[in-house]
Amino acid sequence: AAEQLRVHREMERADEVPVVIYHSHTATEAYPSRTDVSYAHEPDAHYVLVSTRDPERHELRSYRIVDGVITEEPVEVVDSYAPQTSGADDAPDRT
């Protein structure tokens, strides 16, 4: 908890906000617990949960949690990710 508070304070000083907050559930499904919901204070964050309760098959799910309301969102697992560019204007000028 002390580490999380330190990181949160550093982010506030840098005017940053968390985009993804994740953790694992080792004995239950990948669904937010009452404790998870009570700590969910970032309405724009994606709350990603991984369940390792079944050693043969891990479960990964993502949610938005706003004012105590849990909304699951789709997750697509890809082999790799390359940021998309909008065109030639994104490339540095070469002279």
Side-chain angles (χ1 to χ4, degrees):
E3 176 75 10
Q4 288 176 337
L5 182 58
R6 183 187 62 75
V7 169
H8 187 73
R9 287 181 176 157
E10 285 179 18
M11 289 179 70
E12 281 183 345
R13 281 193 291 275
D15 198 28
E16 298 174 337
V17 295
V19 175
V20 175
I21 299 170
Y22 70 94
H23 69 277
S24 63
H25 286 188
T26 59
T28 60
E29 70 177 313
Y31 188 83
S33 68
R34 283 181 291 195
T35 302
D36 296 336
V37 173
S38 71
Y39 287 134
H41 298 294
E42 300 293 341
D44 294 326
H46 303 271
Y47 290 87
V48 175
L49 298 176
V50 177
S51 174
T52 59
R53 66 183 172 166
D54 179 350
E56 300 296 321
R57 184 181 71 83
H58 295 159
E59 176 186 9
L60 181 140
R61 294 165 73 183
S62 182
Y63 304 89
R64 291 295 180 102
I65 304 173
V66 179
D67 296 329
V69 176
I70 302 166
T71 305
E72 187 166 5
E73 54 189 359
V75 174
E76 181 180 349
V77 177
V78 296
D79 289 332
S80 65
Y81 173 77
Q84 298 294 318
T85 61
S86 61
D89 292 338
D90 291 337
D93 291 333
R94 296 176 197 227
T95 53

